[in-house]
Amino acid sequence: MKEKVMDDLQRFSKAMFVPVLILPIAGILIAIGNIFTNQRLLEVVPFMDNPITTGFGTILSGSLVSILTNLGVIFCVGLAVGLAKKKKAEAGFTALLAFLVFINAMNKFLELRGMLIKADDLQGTGQASILGIQILDMGVFLGIILGIAVGLVHNRFVDTEFHSAFQIYGGSRFVFIVLIPVTVLLAIILTFIWPFVQTGITGLGHFINQSGNFGLFLYGALERLLIPTGLHHLVYTPFLYTSLGGVETIGGHVYEGARNIYYAEMADPNIHLLSRSVIWDARGISKMFGLIGACLAMYQTAKPENKAKVKAILIPAVVTSFVAGVTEPIEFSFMFLAPVLFVLHAGLSGLSMVVLNVLNVRAIGPNGFLDFLLYNVPLGIAKTHWPMYIVVGIAFFFIYFVLFKFLIIQFNLKTVGREAESEETRLYSKQDLKEKESGKKETKDAKAGDAVPVATIIEALGGADNFESVTNCYTRLRTVLKDPSIVDEATLKNETGANAVIIKGNNVHVVYGLKVTAVRNAVDEALGFDVELE
């Protein structure tokens, strides 16, 4: 039972990647649009102050804000695609149809019962206008509920086929037929249930806010502690996209969730200081600064004969963490053999968010330094207080370094370069290391499947017949295997460049870092699988 629950949670977590990974792209483009309309920048670079460039920036940022006001439909379609085991395109299309059926069914039911509120401004009434249809204000939860429902029904009935004259109603069309009464019934039931759910969510949000810095510390620590399970996305997603992360009215529109709020504030020149809710997405201190200090401590405490190798291994991981915010190659280097360091890392990550909150820092810092610059510098110091973010980051660099070095030496922890068997904690394979030393850098993209030892990977995972599904996230090849007991972890680490292998029930995650997309595509092609977007 426990394994089934974990499997379902991990599948849901993977499916959440479909909509969640799209939204930061909108944020970055909004930030680029702000560059063309930033008054301070236009004063320094006057040739950009013309109707063409400023108009382009206004259109770019203004048009993408509309994504934030339609997160329900985005999550509905994205989750359905992520949860569908096959025929993902049909699942996405069916989800869109189900969303339209739901909002109109709820609207008509509210109208029949005389529950529609007649108001020019629906803020605070518990109702909202979605795609021009007035319904209960369910925010992103509407998309999540419908996306799950569509995914479940799609997987259950997509293979249903009929004969003779009814043949046309089989497959994905039958899925939609089944979904119509399901969706209408959901609309009716949620009309009565959702007001109570909304009260509970609001109460939880108040509790978290009233918990102040303690609640923020737990949030930051849990987000890191759940990395081994792959469920850490379930911690921060509600705060970034629902009312748990705050509610603000910007430009006449109501936005819920920390990320939605600051995206909208980025595009609004009338906002002179980002909302305090931005702190829920200030998760980058450990990624940009803290783990660099940890790596320096691991390098200095490595055995003298291993330092050259450790340097070659850690430098790429440090650059990846600092620039892109991908931390798993470093975290897995001490997570299993020195778990006390991982617990310390999680605690310091939560503490860094508390410090930023106490200092009233409003900078946007969810990932790496590249995003940090694009988001904050164009907005200006007054709107974000971003220089103080860097000051705090530098301070945590030294805190990480001192504490990691002390614990490694004090307890003789087997970190990179100190282990008895190096293959257990190396970040890259011997082949990767040789390529680094010879100056050869792997730059081939996902199409270069022949650069990936795909045959070795498949064989190490039990062979082609052992696979049930293959997906991926930022850094992990996520597989569901029929028999995980036959996985050859040593081969995956030593011969395919895997940083770590995590086995939870039938879920086997192989951590490859930024090259995971190339690995995933090669495996899909070799197995004849359709590519699943994650």
Side-chain angles (χ1 to χ4, degrees):
M1 180 64 181
K2 181 180 178 181
E3 285 189 2
K4 186 180 186 305
V5 171
M6 286 297 297
D7 288 347
D8 291 340
L9 284 174
Q10 289 192 346
R11 182 163 183 81
F12 176 71
S13 179
K14 289 186 289 184
M16 286 289 284
F17 269 108
V18 178
V20 166
L21 290 185
I22 292 298
L23 298 177
I25 297 174
I28 291 174
L29 291 176
I30 290 173
I32 293 173
N34 288 336
I35 293 175
F36 291 96
T37 58
N38 186 279
Q39 290 301 317
R40 293 183 179 86
L41 181 61
L42 296 180
E43 292 173 2
V44 177
V45 190
F47 75 86
M48 291 181 60
D49 191 4
N50 62 80
I52 296 177
T53 56
T54 57
F56 170 76
T58 301
I59 293 172
L60 182 62
S61 58
S63 61
L64 287 165
V65 167
S66 63
I67 293 176
L68 309 181
T69 58
N70 293 287
L71 285 179
V73 66
I74 291 172
F75 271 79
C76 176
V77 174
L79 262 179
V81 170
L83 290 172
K85 296 178 180 178
K86 60 178 69 173
K87 297 184 179 179
K88 290 180 173 291
E90 288 92 332
F93 179 63
T94 305
L96 177 60
L97 297 178
F99 190 89
L100 295 175
V101 170
F102 181 94
I103 60 176
N104 281 279
M106 178 173 278
N107 175 266
K108 294 303 180 184
F109 187 72
L110 289 171
E111 184 180 359
L112 288 173
R113 293 186 57 84
M115 297 171 65
L116 284 178
I117 297 173
K118 298 184 182 299
D120 295 330
D121 184 7
L122 293 174
Q123 181 182 0
T125 64
Q127 297 185 12
S129 179
I130 307 297
L131 300 181
I133 307 297
Q134 186 174 333
I135 63 171
L136 293 180
D137 187 4
M138 298 178 63
V140 73
F141 288 108
L142 170 56
I144 294 174
I145 293 170
L146 280 181
I148 293 173
V150 172
L152 292 174
V153 174
H154 176 87
N155 289 334
R156 175 65 179 83
F157 295 105
V158 72
D159 291 325
T160 302
E161 297 293 345
F162 299 103
H163 301 289
S164 302
F166 295 98
Q167 186 173 359
I168 191 175
Y169 300 111
S172 59
R173 290 168 293 280
F174 184 65
V175 171
F176 180 58
I177 292 172
V178 174
L179 272 172
I180 292 174
V182 170
T183 303
V184 171
L185 187 61
L186 266 177
I188 295 173
I189 293 173
L190 288 173
T191 299
F192 296 104
I193 293 178
W194 189 254
F196 298 101
V197 175
Q198 188 61 52
T199 300
I201 294 172
T202 303
L204 179 59
H206 288 159
F207 170 77
I208 292 171
N209 289 331
Q210 289 171 0
S211 299
N213 290 323
F214 176 71
L216 188 59
F217 171 80
L218 289 179
Y219 168 85
L222 281 174
E223 192 267 335
R224 291 290 90 190
L225 282 174
L226 288 177
I227 283 282
T229 68
L231 301 179
H232 52 295
H233 315 290
L234 302 183
V235 174
Y236 63 75
T237 299
F239 288 87
L240 299 188
Y241 301 110
T242 76
S243 57
L244 288 178
V247 179
E248 295 288 341
T249 302
I250 304 159
H253 296 280
V254 179
Y255 295 91
E256 297 181 349
R259 187 167 284 180
N260 299 328
I261 291 170
Y262 72 66
Y263 281 167
E265 291 177 335
M266 286 164 55
D268 191 334
N270 297 317
I271 301 295
H272 302 295
L273 179 65
L274 295 182
S275 299
R276 183 174 288 277
S277 60
V278 72
I279 192 64
W280 297 112
D281 210 14
R283 299 172 288 118
I285 289 288
S286 64
K287 302 176 183 180
M288 287 187 276
F289 301 98
L291 287 176
I292 300 177
C295 285
L296 180 59
M298 287 190 286
Y299 170 74
Q300 287 202 350
T301 56
K303 297 175 181 178
E305 64 272 18
N306 290 335
K307 282 196 172 182
K309 181 174 65 175
V310 170
K311 183 190 296 185
I313 291 173
L314 288 181
I315 287 178
V318 165
V319 172
T320 300
S321 179
F322 179 75
V323 175
V326 177
T327 60
E328 286 177 315
I330 299 175
E331 289 168 329
F332 281 116
S333 69
F334 57 79
M335 180 185 298
F336 298 110
L337 293 183
V340 65
L341 295 180
F342 185 67
V343 174
L344 173 64
H345 162 53
L348 290 177
S349 182
L351 181 61
S352 69
M353 298 181 69
V354 172
V355 173
L356 290 173
N357 193 46
V358 170
L359 296 177
N360 198 31
V361 179
R362 306 293 177 88
I364 303 167
N367 293 305
F369 197 64
L370 182 61
D371 287 351
F372 179 83
L373 291 178
L374 281 174
Y375 282 138
N376 296 287
V377 174
L379 295 178
I381 296 175
K383 196 168 183 175
T384 63
H385 303 166
W386 64 263
M388 186 55 68
Y389 189 101
I390 294 179
V391 171
V392 173
I394 294 173
F396 271 84
F397 164 82
F398 287 105
I399 292 172
Y400 266 79
F401 171 73
V402 171
L403 292 179
F404 267 64
K405 186 174 181 179
F406 171 77
L407 290 176
I408 291 171
I409 295 174
Q410 184 71 21
F411 297 101
N412 192 27
L413 300 177
K414 303 300 182 181
T415 52
V416 179
R418 294 172 59 85
E419 68 281 350
E421 298 181 13
S422 60
E423 67 271 15
E424 292 300 323
T425 55
R426 66 165 49 92
L427 300 183
Y428 291 89
S429 67
K430 293 179 180 178
Q431 181 182 354
D432 292 325
L433 188 58
K434 290 177 181 178
E435 289 177 355
K436 296 288 182 182
E437 292 171 346
S438 62
K440 296 179 180 179
K441 183 179 180 181
E442 183 179 72
T443 58
K444 297 179 181 178
D445 59 16
K447 294 181 180 179
D450 56 346
V452 176
V454 61
T456 305
I457 293 172
I458 292 174
E459 186 64 27
L461 288 170
D465 293 338
N466 198 34
F467 284 79
E468 291 188 358
S469 68
V470 180
T471 58
N472 73 279
C473 62
Y474 288 107
T475 56
R476 304 183 187 191
L477 182 73
R478 295 172 174 241
T479 67
V480 178
L481 304 180
K482 297 174 183 177
D483 183 5
S485 65
I486 60 177
V487 171
D488 187 347
E489 295 187 40
T491 297
L492 289 170
K493 293 177 182 178
N494 298 334
E495 298 183 24
T496 75
N499 301 316
V501 180
I502 306 164
I503 301 176
K504 295 287 185 181
N506 290 86
N507 290 273
V508 178
H509 296 182
V510 189
V511 181
Y512 282 107
L514 292 180
K515 63 181 180 181
V516 68
T517 302
V519 174
R520 160 71 186 287
N521 288 343
V523 172
D524 276 331
E525 184 177 351
L527 295 176
F529 287 175
D530 291 331
V531 175
E532 295 182 21
L533 176 63
E534 291 292 343

